[in-house]
Amino acid sequence: MSTILAIESTCDETAAAVVVNGVQVRSSVVATQFELHRKFRGVVPEIASRAHIERILPVVTESMQQAKIGFDAIDAVAVAHRPGLIGSLLVGVTFAKALAWSIDRPLVGVDHVHAHLYSVVLDSDVQVQFPAVGLVVSGGHTALYVLNSWLEVTLAGSTIDDAVGEAYDKVSAILGLEFPGGPIVDRLAAQGRETIAFPRSYLSRQSLDFSFSGLKTAVLYHVRGVPGKAKREAPIDEQELRDICASFQGACVQTLVRKIERACERFKANSVIVGGGVSANSGLRSALVDFELPVYFPKLNYCTDNAAMIGGLAHQHLSAGRVSDLALEAIPQSGIPRV
Ligand code: KG4
Ligand code: ZN
């Protein structure tokens, strides 16, 4: 049995959660900062860390109140200590250390990307069949992993340029839509047709890496015209906007699914897990409905950044006796080793 208070502050969400036995989420509070960064169309690191400082105490207090427990009922304090923006990470790590020390409980440092994979079991009775291929698709990460158990994870491939969520956000900007663009482009794509043959970048035949910058540029040229050639005349109407979104989404989804297939074959996987903000994408979910292996997605509220996934994975670390000490560092890079 474990009751873990978890803290997440790696990027632009300040979050805290109370998780029991690694799966039952007693509370999950997320203070999003997206209104602070919207006008910059991206996360401004200094604004993010300042907002974390202001919000972390109210968010942790709220998560304890929603869980209806006191600190005496907490067995460990978990924190996402990598990867992320250094200023943002430092707020969560420092807070978690101070709290763990003051209530005299173990501290558990968790890798945020690893936790995105774990999010598929939260509030569910999913039992993942290992070895599993894991795909993390978010605004900051696009990578494939092989998992032999929840704690034996290796990196099999990653993006060589943009993350897929970043490509969604940039395409949304090109189309004059709001930030973050993923959910908006997804919604419009569902009303459009795949009429434009945007490029799919598979890199070499065996590659498990990703590249999305060529696709993003293809959308830019389609919308604004190719530099040095005649400018596009007609403005984009509503139907074309939807068709561009559907065609872009089709290219993203096809690329992701192809790479999952390659990884499953190479590592003889028994299941697939998908996590991160883009795992909320309706096109990706429907493309994998009839996949040859079981495919697990998180519940929609656990796709984007949250602390419940940190508390869930921390239970696995704690059960294996892997705890951190007060020297735990905030580290900008992920710590998952390459295959
Ligand atoms: O996991 P997350 O909250 O933050 C990072 O760790 O990056 O992911 C945020 C990203 C954003 O780029 C957002 O546009 C994208 O996830 N996103 C989506 C959808 N919902 C969120 N992308 C495509 N389709 C969606 N439905
Ligand atoms: Zn994330």
Side-chain angles (χ1 to χ4, degrees), residues 312-334:
L313 182 57
H315 168 78
Q316 300 290 334
H317 284 292
L318 194 64
S319 307
R322 291 195 197 175
V323 294
S324 315
D325 60 27
L326 295 182
L328 181 73
E329 281 186 77
I331 303 172
Q333 300 81 19
S334 175

Side-chain angles (χ1 to χ4, degrees), residues 221 224-233:
Y221 288 175
R224 306 236 175 109
V226 179
K229 298 213 174 143
K231 275 239 158 68
R232 178 198 162 95
E233 294 290 319

Side-chain angles (χ1 to χ4, degrees), residues 112 116 138 141 305 309:
H112 171 95
H116 267 306
S138 73
H141 313 280
D305 288 351
M309 64 184 191

Side-chain angles (χ1 to χ4, degrees), residues 294-317:
V295 181
Y296 303 109
F297 284 94
K299 298 212 159 29
L300 285 179
N301 48 328
Y302 303 130
C303 289
T304 45
D305 288 351
N306 65 86
M309 64 184 191
I310 308 299
L313 182 57
H315 168 78
Q316 300 290 334
H317 284 292

Side-chain angles (χ1 to χ4, degrees), residues 135-169:
L135 174 73
V136 175
V137 272
S138 73
H141 313 280
T142 299
L144 275 169
Y145 299 89
V146 189
L147 297 91
N148 287 320
S149 70
W150 281 123
L151 295 182
E152 288 169 87
V153 186
T154 45
L155 174 70
S158 59
T159 181
I160 60 167
D161 41 54
D162 292 354
V164 63
E166 190 183 349
Y168 266 90
D169 294 336

Side-chain angles (χ1 to χ4, degrees), residues 37 174 219 248:
H37 303 284
I174 292 166
V219 176
F248 164 75

Side-chain angles (χ1 to χ4, degrees), residues 18 26-27 61-73:
V18 174
R26 289 289 152 82
S27 67
T61 306
E62 172 81 26
S63 80
M64 293 294 290
Q65 280 168 354
Q66 283 188 16
K68 298 191 175 62
I69 55 167
F71 286 118
D72 53 338

